[in-house]
């Protein structure tokens, strides 16, 4: 059995680095994690995030407190079939500084071993879609976002190419 505790750290290579510390403790069904960023210039913590994740064979739920305690987000993913080819996804978030709540619902479908498509819609009218394709040693996610409440605005499109050595 693998050791359930993971500890990572990273230092940026510049004149005034920020040191990121990440720790996760858990089992295959429940995990707790924290992330802290220490700014060596100011001597203050630049960021901190904490979260918990609960996983079952047919579903997964997470709660994360982030943005230095200003935002709380909860996610739920429910697989709709035994092969985990399709799933329904929901996210609710609350930003305390602006009293803004956002609810997003969506779904995804695994077309084959290399291709995933998904879509989501938020209560603010943002409609997003993603097509994620993997070819040997690379990934090509194509995404778009469209504001259904402002049809005069141009939609946003994104293309990413990630090459693996």
């Amino acid at each position: 059995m693998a050791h359930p505790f993971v500890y990572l750290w990273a230092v940026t290579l510049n004149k005034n680095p920020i040191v990121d510390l990440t720790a996760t403790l858990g089992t295959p069904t429940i995990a707790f994690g924290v992330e802290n960023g220490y700014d060596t210039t100011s001597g203050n913590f630049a960021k901190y995030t904490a979260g918990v994740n609960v996983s079952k064979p047919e579903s997964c739920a997470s709660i994360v407190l982030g943005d230095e305690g200003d935002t709380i987000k909860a996610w739920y993913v429910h697989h709709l079939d035994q092969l985990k080819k399709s799933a329904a996804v929901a996210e609710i978030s609350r930003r305390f500084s602006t009293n803004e709540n956002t609810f997003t619902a969506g779904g995804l479908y695994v077309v084959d071993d290399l291709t995933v498509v998904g879509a989501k819609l938020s209560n603010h009218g943002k409609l997003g879609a993603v097509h994620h394709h993997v070819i040997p040693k690379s990934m090509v996610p194509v995404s778009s976002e469209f504001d259904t409440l402002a049809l005069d605005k141009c939609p946003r499109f994104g293309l990413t190419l990630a090459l693996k050595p």
Side-chain angles (χ1 to χ4, degrees), residues 6 31 48 51 92 100 108 133 139 148:
V6 176
Y48 47 90
I92 188 163
E100 179 183 13
L108 62 91
H133 188 76
M139 293 185 300
T148 62

Side-chain angles (χ1 to χ4, degrees), residues 51-62:
V52 62
N53 176 279
V54 177
S55 295
K56 293 184 175 185
E58 72 282 350
S59 63
C60 178
S62 298

Side-chain angles (χ1 to χ4, degrees), residues 9-157:
W9 63 277
V11 178
T12 55
L13 299 175
N14 62 30
K15 195 164 76 173
N16 302 311
I18 294 178
V19 179
D20 289 323
L21 302 170
T22 304
T24 303
L25 176 64
T27 67
T29 56
I30 189 165
F32 300 93
V34 294
E35 177 185 25
N36 287 314
Y38 182 75
D39 186 346
T40 59
T41 304
S42 67
N44 296 321
F45 284 102
K47 63 180 175 181
Y48 47 90
T49 304
V52 62
N53 176 279
V54 177
S55 295
K56 293 184 175 185
E58 72 282 350
S59 63
C60 178
S62 298
I63 297 176
V64 174
L65 180 65
D67 296 327
E68 290 78 45
D70 187 38
T71 304
I72 189 165
K73 292 184 179 185
W75 293 276
Y76 180 73
V77 177
H78 189 84
H79 297 284
L80 302 173
D81 58 0
Q82 293 287 338
L83 298 175
K84 297 184 177 181
K85 287 187 150 265
S86 59
V89 182
E91 175 188 290
I92 188 163
S93 67
R94 167 96 172 151
R95 182 171 296 274
F96 298 111
S97 62
T98 61
N99 289 327
E100 179 183 13
N101 296 318
T102 303
F103 179 75
T104 305
L108 62 91
Y109 181 73
V110 178
V111 177
D112 56 35
D113 291 342
L114 303 175
T115 308
V116 177
V117 293
K120 64 181 182 175
L121 178 64
S122 77
N123 64 315
H124 299 296
K126 302 283 185 182
L127 176 65
V130 66
H131 175 267
H132 184 88
H133 188 76
V134 179
I135 53 179
K137 297 203 174 216
S138 64
M139 293 185 300
V140 184
V142 178
S143 61
S144 63
E145 186 178 80
F146 177 98
D147 190 345
T148 62
L149 301 178
L151 298 176
D152 57 326
K153 291 185 178 178
C154 291
R156 298 179 349 170
F157 293 96

